[in-house]
Amino acid sequence: MHLENELNRWGPQALAALAEVPSMEFSQDYCRRLARSHYENFVVVGFFTPPHLRGAFEAVYAFCRWADDLGDETGSTDKSSVLLNWWQEQLEELYCPGSPEPRHPVYIALKPVIDKFRLPIKPFADLISAFKQDQWKTRFENHAELVDYCARSANPVGELVLRLFGEASEENLAFSKDICTGLQLANFWQDVSRDLLKGRVYIPRESMEKHDVSESDLARVPATEAFRLMLAEEVAATRELFHTGRGLTEKLGGRVGLALRLFHAGGVATLDAVEKCGFDVLTRRPRVGKMTQIGLMARIFAGSLLRRSSNRLS
C-alpha cells in the first residue's frame, strides 16, 4: 500500500470532500485487493480461511494494514499521531449508536463483520494504542513494559482470528496470547539492527544493564560476547512462550489449526535462525529461508493428514 496515494483518496480531507460514499461491494473489493497485495503477511487469508470467512478476514486485515502504515509510513511522528487519532475516531463511531455511517471503504466493509461476529472494540483499539505509543516511546525499561506493548501490538490479532473462527474461549485466548507475544518478541530479536536504524530499541534496559551491554554495542559488528549472551537469554525465555502456547495448536483442528501451527512453527524457526547464527544478529539478519518455510508447511500438512486418519480409525 502506498500510503500517500491512499491518503489522497481516503484520508481525512478526501473523505470530507467525498461526493458519494463507496458502496459495500466496492469497499469489500478494496479490502480484498489490499489483503492480496500483502498476502505473505496475512497467511490466514487464502488457503487457511474457508470461503465464507475470507471477506471478514480481509476487512480485519485492511484495518490492521492502515493502522500500521499510519503509524510507520508517514515520515513524521506528529503526522502519524494526528492520523492515528483520526483512525481511532472512525473506529469509535462504528461502536456508537446514532453515529454517522462510515465513509472510509475499510470501515464500510468492517462494520457488518463487527456486527455479525460480535467483535469487541478492545482488540482494534489496542492495536491503535500500540501504534500511537510507537510515536513517543522507543525504549523499554523492563520486560513488563515490553510484554504490555506486545499485548496491544500482537495479541489482538490472535484474538480477532479466534473470534472469526468461533474459537475464542478463555483458554484459547490465553494460549493465543503466548503465541502472539512470542511471535512479536522473535521479530524483535531478529531485527535489532533494523529497529535501531528506526531509533527503536526493544531489548529492555534491565537486560542490557544485567549483561553490561550499552546501546553503542547494538551497532557493533561483530556482536560482542555480552550481547550474544544477553540475546541467548531472551531467546530462551521466548521459547517458553511458544512451548506454553503450543497447547492451542494441538487443541484446534481444521483450517484454523493449520494456520496456528504454521504461525507457531514460523516463530520457533525464527528463534532457531537467531540461535544458528550464534545470536549475532548484528552482523547479518537471520532469516527463515524459503526451503525451510516449505519444509515447515509440508510437515504441518502431513501431520494434519495423519491426525485426520487417526481420528477416522479411532
Side-chain angles (χ1 to χ4, degrees):
M1 183 173 96
H2 192 287
L3 183 61
E4 186 176 353
N5 290 343
E6 294 304 310
L7 285 172
N8 288 335
R9 294 185 65 197
W10 307 113
Q13 294 180 342
L15 289 188
L18 203 62
E20 184 177 352
V21 176
S23 67
M24 180 62 68
E25 182 180 7
F26 174 91
S27 300
Q28 290 171 337
D29 183 64
Y30 175 85
C31 293
R32 183 177 304 114
R33 286 185 281 109
L34 191 59
R36 289 179 179 176
S37 70
H38 295 270
Y39 182 77
E40 72 282 0
N41 295 326
F42 204 58
V43 70
V44 292
V45 177
F47 178 83
F48 295 103
T49 308
H52 72 280
L53 289 180
R54 284 179 190 162
F57 273 102
E58 288 161 354
V60 169
Y61 174 83
F63 168 90
C64 296
R65 181 77 267 153
W66 260 84
D68 192 7
D69 283 3
L70 289 176
D72 258 358
E73 302 297 330
T74 67
S76 163
T77 57
D78 289 341
K79 184 175 181 180
S80 285
S81 296
V82 169
L83 288 170
L84 285 167
N85 284 334
W86 163 73
W87 198 243
Q88 182 175 351
E89 289 167 2
Q90 292 182 91
L91 172 69
E92 291 171 351
E93 287 182 354
L94 286 188
Y95 286 87
C96 183
S99 294
E101 289 297 309
R103 298 170 66 82
H104 194 288
V106 169
Y107 283 105
I108 291 171
L110 188 61
K111 188 176 189 301
V113 176
I114 288 172
D115 294 340
K116 179 178 179 179
F117 294 92
R118 299 181 181 180
L119 301 179
I121 192 173
K122 189 175 187 304
F124 295 108
D126 280 350
L127 284 167
I128 297 175
S129 169
F131 298 138
K132 289 169 76 171
Q133 178 178 305
D134 283 335
Q135 308 313 309
W136 59 270
K137 187 176 180 64
T138 58
R139 302 294 187 275
F140 294 82
E141 291 297 322
N142 50 52
H143 285 88
E145 286 188 0
L146 188 59
V147 169
D148 172 71
Y149 176 77
C150 293
R152 290 175 288 120
S153 65
N155 298 4
V157 177
E159 177 179 344
L160 290 168
V161 168
L162 288 176
R163 289 190 181 280
L164 291 178
F165 272 104
E167 298 286 358
S169 67
E170 288 188 16
E171 181 182 42
N172 289 350
L173 287 172
F175 282 137
S176 173
K177 289 175 182 177
D178 286 334
I179 293 175
C180 291
T181 295
L183 286 167
Q184 180 78 89
L185 293 175
N187 286 336
F188 288 157
W189 313 148
Q190 178 187 38
D191 286 334
V192 174
S193 293
R194 285 188 176 186
D195 291 331
L196 188 64
L197 289 175
K198 298 177 183 177
R200 296 173 182 170
V201 176
Y202 291 102
I203 300 173
R205 200 181 306 275
E206 66 178 9
S207 294
M208 295 174 65
E209 291 178 352
K210 175 183 176 181
H211 292 274
D212 196 25
V213 172
S214 66
E215 280 201 20
S216 62
D217 290 327
L218 304 185
R220 291 182 62 178
V221 176
T224 65
E225 178 69 13
F227 174 90
R228 290 189 286 114
L229 288 172
M230 175 186 68
L231 199 61
E233 188 175 282
E234 299 292 353
V235 166
T238 306
R239 284 192 188 279
E240 286 299 311
L241 289 172
F242 284 115
H243 178 73
T244 304
R246 186 174 180 177
L248 184 61
T249 70
E250 296 172 345
K251 179 181 177 183
L252 297 181
R255 295 192 183 190
V256 63
L258 281 171
L260 290 170
R261 285 191 284 280
L262 187 57
F263 278 131
H264 184 277
V268 172
T270 298
L271 295 182
D272 291 343
V274 171
E275 184 171 348
K276 187 175 181 180
C277 72
F279 304 100
D280 182 2
V281 298
L282 307 182
T283 299
R284 186 172 62 181
R285 179 179 183 267
R287 295 177 59 255
V288 179
K290 288 293 184 183
M291 293 307 297
T292 300
Q293 294 177 36
I294 292 171
L296 288 174
M297 293 184 70
R299 287 202 301 274
I300 289 167
F301 286 131
S304 177
L305 292 174
L306 288 172
R307 177 186 294 189
R308 291 171 62 184
S309 298
S310 177
N311 290 339
R312 290 195 191 101
L313 294 173
S314 61

